[in-house]
Amino acid sequence: MPINTSNHTFIVERSIFSNTFPELKEDRLRVYLLMCRVVGAKKDGICFMSIKTISNEVNLTEHRTRKAIEWLCEKHFIKKVRRWKQSNVYVVLVTPDYDPVKKQYYSNEDIDRGRLSMKDTLNGYVELPVEVMAGSILRDKTLWTDRKIRIFGQLYLYHWIDEFGGVDPKVVQVKKNTMYISELFSYTIGCSSQDIISVIRWLIREGFASKAKTVYRQNPNSIFKEIQYIGDAVKTNKLPSDTLIDVIRMNCIPSLKLKNAIDRTGGRIA
């Protein structure tokens, strides 16, 4: 399946796509992800959206939208800034610290939401194409369950097309049409490997991901002689010592990441 590229991305902290915040679900999760998408990668985190616009985007009543926003503000995921005779402005914050025993949320408002500061403070993030978080994914809770959204986000977290040709095969491994999921992936999501496999297969059927046959070759410059991704099988002259590995590849990729992969492999990407 051909790769679609995106020139516009937005960042979501990796903890959002895990079981770190058990109360961040359903309406709350969708409103939060919408705001992240609108903010994009802006450091200030400012989101200019009316209640009506948010409601329309996530297919909720205005009452339910307000309730979700109230919770997000109360738990320090976003901040409401009131403006005189204008719609409120919402600021997406760095996700709060959470104490699961006390069920308490502690604000991280003082941390800048820029890429470097988030990395420096160990607030890892996923960079997603804007296009993948549009349409039914936020509007249809029957089709797109919370679990599907979180697994989808985790796949993008481990999706390094320049390093692995797709999702890290140590996280999702495909051998002879059988899929294996790492224990870390299952633990992070909080569900079984079979549940994750079912969602990945659904994503492939729906055109959000595909399987790609890649070539890995031993790194001659490494003392450990580990194998590394050098290109897709259909575009690479395979050596007898090479290893063919099937990886899961997301079908919409930030254009800069694809460019880096093309440069690194010498254009050996289908």
Side-chain angles (χ1 to χ4, degrees):
M1 183 173 289
I3 298 173
N4 298 312
T5 59
S6 173
N7 294 321
H8 304 286
T9 61
F10 68 103
I11 59 176
V12 180
E13 284 170 78
R14 60 190 299 168
S15 57
I16 297 298
F17 297 119
S18 71
N19 59 359
T20 301
F21 306 111
E23 296 177 305
L24 181 64
K25 57 186 179 180
E26 299 177 348
D27 299 353
R28 300 163 181 171
L29 177 62
R30 285 153 181 78
V31 170
Y32 178 78
L33 288 174
L34 172 64
M35 289 187 175
C36 289
R37 191 190 80 195
V38 172
V39 168
K42 294 186 298 183
K43 292 172 62 176
D44 59 19
I46 295 176
C47 173
F48 295 91
M49 293 189 83
S50 67
I51 294 291
K52 183 176 181 179
T53 301
I54 296 171
S55 301
N56 290 337
E57 285 285 333
V58 294
N59 196 27
L60 293 173
T61 64
E62 292 189 15
H63 172 72
R64 287 174 61 177
T65 299
R66 286 192 178 91
K67 294 292 288 184
I69 289 173
E70 287 172 8
W71 185 90
L72 291 167
C73 289
E74 179 186 336
K75 305 304 182 185
H76 312 296
F77 287 89
I78 64 174
K79 180 176 70 173
K80 183 189 296 184
V81 179
R82 299 185 184 279
R83 299 188 298 168
W84 178 250
K85 293 185 178 180
Q86 297 182 71
S87 298
N88 294 323
V89 170
Y90 301 100
V91 179
V92 177
L93 306 174
V94 170
T95 52
D97 293 328
Y98 178 65
D99 184 335
V101 177
K102 297 180 180 179
K103 294 186 178 180
Q104 289 288 324
Y105 297 80
Y106 302 95
S107 176
N108 279 318
E109 183 181 347
D110 57 327
I111 299 176
D112 182 64
R113 202 172 178 269
R115 289 182 175 90
L116 292 178
S117 59
M118 287 173 69
K119 286 182 178 179
D120 289 344
T121 54
L122 302 181
N123 289 282
Y125 61 85
V126 188
E127 190 153 359
L128 295 159
V130 166
E131 291 83 353
V132 304
M133 205 58 71
S136 64
I137 191 168
L138 297 181
R139 294 177 57 82
D140 191 339
K141 285 193 292 186
T142 302
L143 182 66
W144 280 94
T145 62
D146 289 2
R147 177 177 292 171
K148 282 181 179 176
I149 290 175
R150 288 196 165 97
I151 291 171
F152 189 57
Q154 284 286 331
L155 290 173
Y156 268 101
L157 172 64
Y158 292 111
H159 190 268
W160 293 87
I161 191 166
D162 56 338
E163 293 290 332
F164 306 116
V167 176
D168 184 350
K170 293 179 181 177
V171 176
V172 180
Q173 191 176 62
V174 183
K175 286 186 176 180
K176 296 181 179 179
N177 293 322
T178 300
M179 212 174 292
Y180 302 91
I181 306 298
S182 72
E183 290 184 6
L184 176 61
F185 197 167
S186 296
Y187 176 80
T188 302
I189 296 291
C191 64
S192 71
S193 60
Q194 283 305 312
D195 288 336
I196 295 172
I197 289 169
S198 295
V199 171
I200 294 175
R201 286 176 174 158
W202 179 83
L203 290 169
I204 292 172
R205 288 196 303 271
E206 295 297 317
F208 292 97
S210 57
K211 286 189 290 186
K213 191 171 290 294
T214 62
V215 178
Y216 277 61
R217 183 171 295 168
Q218 190 177 83
N219 183 357
N221 300 317
S222 170
I223 59 173
F224 300 106
K225 303 299 181 184
E226 73 273 10
I227 59 174
Q228 61 183 10
Y229 169 66
I230 64 163
D232 290 359
V234 295
K235 288 205 170 184
T236 303
N237 293 323
K238 185 176 177 295
L239 301 178
S241 57
D242 289 342
T243 302
L244 289 177
I245 296 179
D246 288 333
V247 299
I248 300 299
R249 178 174 292 169
M250 309 311 289
N251 288 339
C252 187
I253 302 172
S255 54
L256 182 59
K257 290 191 175 184
L258 182 59
K259 180 182 181 302
N260 290 340
I262 290 171
D263 291 344
R264 184 180 178 278
T265 62
R268 293 189 295 268
I269 295 181

